[in-house]
Amino acid sequence: HMRKSIFVLVLVCAAGAQQQLRELPTDYRHAPRVHIGDTLPADRVALGRRLFFDKRLSENETVACSTCHDPLKAFTDGKATSQGIHSQVGKRNAPTLVNRAAGEMHFWDGRASTLEQQALMPLQDPTEMGMKIEETLARLRSDSNYPAQFQAVFHHEPNSHDLARALADYVRTIHSIESPFDRFLRGDDNALNALEKEGFRLFRDKANCTVCHGGADFTDEAVHNTGVAWRDGKIQDEGRFAITGRAYH
């Protein structure tokens, strides 16, 4: 219900929301989407899912991908800043993985252009999972089940390329399909109530949220300087600039 709550939150700023509602335009409506995750081999997805939830992929075996991307919290952790091994706290919160199959930029600073690139970075980040890839592979190869599973799926022993492929393909299966807003997009006018529809109208209209949060996935796949990194008289997070060295992107 993450999508539904977005429009409820918008209503906090809508003092006159219970007035007569204007008819919503229909240009946002679309036919059911074909999700790439639905076409992937089931055995590869199953391997990726097992890896995603396996804490042994972290240095002290306390953190899995699912620690920061919890399915019960829309594949986030619900925290302002995420926590990795040895209770280390990172600089940013964990973005959702819902509908990232079609993503063009990953991480808040866009430093990964594919899910395969993204998948291996948290494993190696010293504040997240703190592993060297060779150490990760050694653990996988010494496991009683992983070697056979990699052999069945990829026809050879665990390696970094296929580790990334398996994790990325599992993430591609994480999509929203039956939320109230999904049903509304497909033409079910009863999926949202009157106040939620007014919230959506404000979202698209007066509030102009769609400048950045457009489309069915609420993203323009770009980075924006919203000013939130400026606190206490200085920049706390250089964001995309730390990746590109350019002031504008």
Side-chain angles (χ1 to χ4, degrees):
H1 302 295
M2 175 180 63
R3 290 165 174 242
K4 185 174 179 179
S5 64
I6 291 173
F7 304 113
V8 176
L9 288 172
V10 171
L11 293 174
V12 173
C13 300
Q18 302 215 33
Q19 297 174 2
Q20 184 176 1
L21 305 181
R22 285 185 276 171
E23 184 176 352
L24 281 167
T26 58
D27 60 312
Y28 55 85
R29 291 282 169 85
H30 61 71
R33 289 176 290 179
V34 176
H35 294 279
I36 187 173
D38 297 336
T39 66
L40 296 170
D43 57 351
R44 199 159 76 210
V45 171
L47 174 57
R49 186 182 189 282
R50 183 185 173 199
L51 292 162
F52 187 86
F53 288 90
D54 195 338
K55 292 182 178 181
R56 291 175 298 170
L57 271 62
S58 66
E59 181 264 328
N60 62 353
E61 302 187 7
T62 62
V63 175
C65 302
S66 60
T67 302
C68 295
H69 300 284
D70 184 347
L72 297 178
K73 298 177 180 176
F75 287 89
T76 71
D77 58 9
K79 299 177 180 178
T81 50
S82 297
Q83 185 172 301
I85 58 170
H86 307 299
S87 301
Q88 296 179 94
V89 178
K91 294 181 179 179
R92 301 169 183 161
N93 63 355
T96 182
L97 298 181
V98 178
N99 295 336
R100 293 311 300 152
E104 299 170 7
M105 303 174 75
H106 305 281
F107 296 107
W108 289 121
D109 54 22
R111 63 185 181 274
S113 59
T114 68
L115 285 173
E116 283 77 7
Q117 289 178 350
Q118 184 276 330
L120 298 185
M121 290 183 182
L123 302 182
Q124 302 171 84
D125 191 309
T127 64
E128 294 186 51
M129 299 173 77
M131 289 284 279
K132 293 181 171 62
I133 288 298
E134 282 307 315
E135 293 172 344
T136 304
L137 296 175
R139 286 190 185 180
L140 296 177
R141 291 166 185 162
S142 64
D143 180 77
S144 59
N145 294 310
Y146 276 126
Q149 202 168 358
F150 270 84
Q151 188 67 37
V153 174
F154 296 113
H155 309 297
H156 41 67
E157 68 177 8
N159 61 65
S160 60
H161 176 73
D162 293 332
L163 171 61
R165 286 178 67 193
L167 284 167
D169 277 351
Y170 170 65
V171 172
R172 290 186 174 100
T173 69
I174 302 170
H175 54 74
S176 177
I177 190 170
E178 280 301 325
S179 73
F181 187 70
D182 288 309
R183 297 197 299 273
F184 184 68
L185 286 181
R186 295 198 298 268
D188 181 0
D189 284 325
N190 296 320
L192 299 182
N193 63 36
L195 286 179
E196 290 161 351
K197 289 176 183 177
E198 177 68 357
F200 185 40
R201 185 189 65 75
L202 289 169
F203 188 86
R204 291 167 47 87
D205 185 5
K206 188 174 182 179
N208 207 24
C209 305
T210 50
V211 167
C212 300
H213 301 285
D217 293 334
F218 301 109
T219 177
D220 60 2
E221 291 297 328
V223 291
H224 301 272
N225 183 355
T226 62
V228 297
W230 181 267
R231 294 190 305 277
D232 301 324
K234 61 181 180 180
I235 293 289
Q236 304 289 336
D237 187 336
E238 290 186 332
R240 182 70 173 165
F241 177 80
I243 306 303
T244 66
R246 300 197 306 269
Y248 298 96
H249 309 286

